[in-house]
């Protein structure tokens, strides 16, 4: 049973005070495991949100992530029709020196 302060007794908060937590944005490129990745990140006590690969640069800036996870899909990065992040998002990552983890893109 969860305690009144939002803790589940295991030491990991239940997203209470998420404004003060580390924030990870997970960008989905069609992976079947994007929701599982979100769950694992949250179980580690990190606030995260899942967005489509069509996310707008302003949405990323407004979220103010501490890091980004790219959750891949069935396409190869070399496919002409493969989804890609907006170049402005890559610029934002570089400008803020944010870590970016890519999982399973094009396997």
């Amino acid at each position: 049973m969860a305690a009144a302060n939002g803790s589940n007794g295991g030491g990991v908060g239940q997203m209470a005070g998420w404004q003060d937590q580390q924030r990870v944005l997970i960008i989905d490129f069609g992976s079947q495991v994007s929701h599982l990745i979100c769950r694992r990140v949250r179980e580690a006590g990190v606030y995260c949100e899942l967005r489509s690969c069509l996310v707008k640069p302003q949405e990323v800036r407004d979220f103010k992530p501490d890091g980004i996870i790219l959750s891949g899909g069935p396409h190869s990065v070399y496919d002409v029709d493969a989804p890609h992040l907006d170049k402005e998002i890559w610029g934002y990552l570089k400008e803020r020196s944010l870590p970016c983890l890519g999982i399973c893109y094009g396997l």
Side-chain angles (χ1 to χ4, degrees), residues 8-99:
N8 64 4
V12 177
Q14 294 282 350
M15 300 301 118
W18 60 266
Q19 299 91 338
D20 299 326
Q21 289 183 313
Q22 290 183 325
R23 302 163 63 83
V24 171
L25 184 62
I26 299 174
I27 300 178
D28 183 15
F29 285 86
S31 172
Q32 296 177 343
V33 296
S34 295
H35 287 89
L36 175 62
I37 295 168
C38 282
R39 188 174 89 207
R40 296 296 187 208
V41 169
R42 290 174 182 146
E43 286 174 354
V46 176
Y47 180 80
C48 72
E49 290 185 9
L50 178 63
R51 303 284 173 88
S52 160
C53 62
L54 302 176
V55 65
K56 303 292 183 212
Q58 188 60 48
E59 291 177 69
V60 175
R61 282 192 287 278
D62 290 346
F63 183 72
K64 298 177 183 158
D66 294 303
I68 290 185
I69 296 175
L70 305 176
S71 181
H75 297 282
S76 167
V77 292
Y78 300 110
D79 289 347
V80 176
D81 296 333
H84 293 279
L85 277 182
D86 188 301
K87 289 181 182 181
E88 203 174 317
I89 294 173
W90 289 113
Y92 176 77
L93 293 173
K94 184 175 181 182
E95 170 189 314
R96 297 217 31 233
S97 299
L98 294 176

